[in-house]
Amino acid sequence: MRRVVLVHYAEIGLKRRNRTRFTRRLADRLRLALSSAGVAGQVGVDSSRLVVAPDDVADAERAMRAVLRVPGVADAAHALCVADNVEAIEAGALEQLTASPPGSFKVQVRRADKRFPLTSIDLARAVGGRCADVSGRPVDVHEPDVRLRVEVVTGSAYVSAGTRRGPGGLPVGSTARLLAFLSGGLDSPVAAWQMIRRGARMTGVHFHNRSFQGNAVLEKIEDLAGVLAWSAGGFPLIVVPFEACQRAIVGTVPASHRMIVYRRAMFRIAARLAYTERALGYVTGDSLGQVASQTAENLRTIHAVADLPVYMPLVGSDKVDITDLARRIGTYDISIRPHEDCCAYLAAPRPAVKSNVKELEELEAGLDWDALVDEALDKIKRRVIAPDPDVLR
Ligand code: ATP
Ligand code: MG
């Protein structure tokens, strides 16, 4: 009997040729997650499952937590790998049941190898009967306290209890790199995570006004990057000095429209970063109508200067949905730490909720964008943030 972490991926929509590429990429991502977690072990493929086998059984739970952050993982469970005969499967099932919380149970069987002498139903009956006899626990097929899963593959079987949900989605590297705008608030890290879950490689960008914000926000952004890095497999982070740009804007643009101009400035600077990062789009935490800069009118005006598609995965989400997701992925506690928001600080008490491109071009006429963009880019800082080990605790 071998103890492993058994990983399932969502197979829906995967064509045969894509599936090979998908599993290989996912296996690579799982290896990276193990090594980030400091767990020595192997990752193998066994008929549409991935099998993570830590060298030391004591690392199994740590391996599991790392695995559950990897996009492409639909679910994972601690499992025993046993021989493919009824006695071995029964012994494995009993061991798993003994280690599970008390109460009723149910046995579910899937056979990847249909040559196994018993049908799934017969095997479930045999294993369930034996477990009930030995443990004295009742079987409940509708609402069991414990679900034992038996998966028969060629040459072996996996027996598990307590399947846990992973992020789903696609392994990172399935699609090109995007630049995630991270403000230090609640929404932007969740937005970045959603696109990482869709398989995008990610570079984070934060526009920083040193004199208004100090260093608290930089610590927050780095901590957020340390969480996202578990899913992304490392997280490059670029901090752009935004002070000179904001000062120039405050000097020429009326307060009501400054926020719109700040955000247009971000896209102008990001265009050059996207080129050096080989990124093909931008990710923001905008949610339609949430604040003045996120009305359809203002988003149109802001995005008019973006040279690449802007992905807004939260555009249709409510704050409640976003908060729930932030809690689930572990960014919530970091995001709610107080910090000075440079844009909010320098914005108007009553910002414009409507704007158009022509009006903005007139308001920006006095700004020398080439010089401002060059100056900002001259002093950027880029670092690759590693997965934060504390996150797995
Ligand atoms: P968040 O919770 O992410 O801060 P928000 O609801 O406060 O979002 P805004 O402050 O209007 O919204 O910003 C909208 C989006 O613009 C953010 O989600 C983020 O992607 C981007 N953004 C805003 N300020 C910055 C900044 N200083 N650096 C990088 N990106 C920023
Ligand atoms: Mg914000």
Side-chain angles (χ1 to χ4, degrees), residues 48-390:
S48 42
R49 290 153 188 76
L50 286 122
V51 181
V52 176
D55 292 346
D56 183 347
V57 187
D59 284 336
E61 179 56 22
R62 195 170 168 76
M64 168 69 100
R65 291 183 191 178
V67 160
L68 286 175
R69 293 197 165 256
V70 175
V73 172
D75 63 56
H78 289 297
L80 291 168
C81 180
V82 300
D84 62 341
N85 62 65
V86 179
E87 296 72 36
I89 293 170
E90 285 175 355
L94 264 170
E95 186 168 333
Q96 291 287 34
L97 188 58
T98 308
S100 298
S104 62
F105 76 97
K106 171 188 182 173
V107 179
Q108 288 167 302
V109 174
R110 265 169 59 188
R111 293 178 312 157
D113 191 340
K114 306 285 184 204
R115 289 172 305 180
F116 191 79
L118 298 185
T119 64
S120 296
I121 292 172
D122 289 343
L123 180 57
R125 234 179 243 143
V127 174
R130 172 98 179 113
C131 287
D133 287 347
V134 177
S135 69
R137 294 184 184 216
V139 172
D140 181 345
V141 292
H142 301 296
E143 275 180 57
D145 295 309
V146 178
R147 284 171 200 273
L148 291 175
R149 286 189 19 174
V150 176
E151 298 175 43
V152 183
V153 296
T154 308
S156 56
Y158 296 95
V159 186
S160 61
T163 302
R164 298 194 228 168
R165 186 155 73 106
L170 303 168
V172 167
S174 301
T175 186
R177 184 174 296 276
L178 303 174
L179 288 192
F181 287 18
L182 295 178
S183 62
L186 193 68
D187 304 328
S188 43
V190 175
W193 182 84
Q194 292 226 14
M195 301 318 285
I196 294 168
R197 176 167 67 167
R198 293 309 305 160
R201 296 176 200 277
M202 201 63 70
T203 298
V205 182
H206 175 66
F207 298 88
H208 185 237
N209 187 328
R210 203 158 34 113
S211 31
F212 280 112
Q213 296 179 282
N215 283 330
V217 69
L218 290 185
E219 269 169 41
K220 277 181 81 171
I221 303 272
E222 282 172 19
D223 290 352
L224 290 167
V227 174
L228 296 174
W230 282 106
S231 306
F235 196 88
L237 176 65
I238 299 175
V239 176
V240 180
F242 204 42
E243 207 174 336
C245 214
Q246 282 197 308
R247 209 180 310 119
I249 293 166
V250 169
T252 53
V253 177
S256 58
H257 287 72
R258 276 177 205 160
M259 184 67 105
I260 297 167
V261 182
Y262 298 150
R263 299 207 51 206
R264 280 161 63 94
M266 290 180 197
F267 282 106
R268 293 178 202 272
I269 297 168
R272 301 260 293 272
L273 298 174
Y275 180 79
T276 50
E277 293 290 310
R278 298 171 197 271
L280 298 189
Y282 307 110
V283 184
T284 70
D286 291 291
S287 166
L288 190 65
Q290 196 191 76
V291 291
S293 60
Q294 297 173 16
T295 60
E297 292 87 344
N298 286 342
L299 285 172
R300 183 263 320 262
T301 310
I302 292 164
H303 292 178
V305 295
D307 62 326
L308 293 169
V310 182
Y311 296 90
M312 303 183 288
L314 306 178
V315 71
S317 303
D318 275 352
K319 204 73 186 183
V320 180
D321 311 335
I322 300 169
T323 307
D324 287 349
L325 199 47
R327 284 214 174 86
R328 200 179 119 206
I329 65 176
T331 56
Y332 181 82
D333 289 335
I334 303 170
S335 283
I336 59 168
R337 270 155 40 187
H339 80 272
E340 301 295 332
D341 180 330
C342 63
C343 296
Y345 192 83
L346 296 172
R350 283 221 243 116
V353 291
K354 286 185 184 174
S355 64
N356 64 63
V357 174
K358 196 164 158 288
E359 167 192 21
L360 262 289
E361 280 169 354
E362 281 161 15
L363 291 174
E364 291 173 359
L367 293 165
D368 182 354
W369 284 122
D370 286 343
L372 290 170
V373 170
D374 281 343
E375 185 179 348
L377 288 169
D378 194 39
K379 292 184 213 124
I380 58 168
K381 289 213 166 65
R382 186 187 193 276
R383 276 178 59 200
V384 178
I385 309 288
D388 177 356
D390 283 349

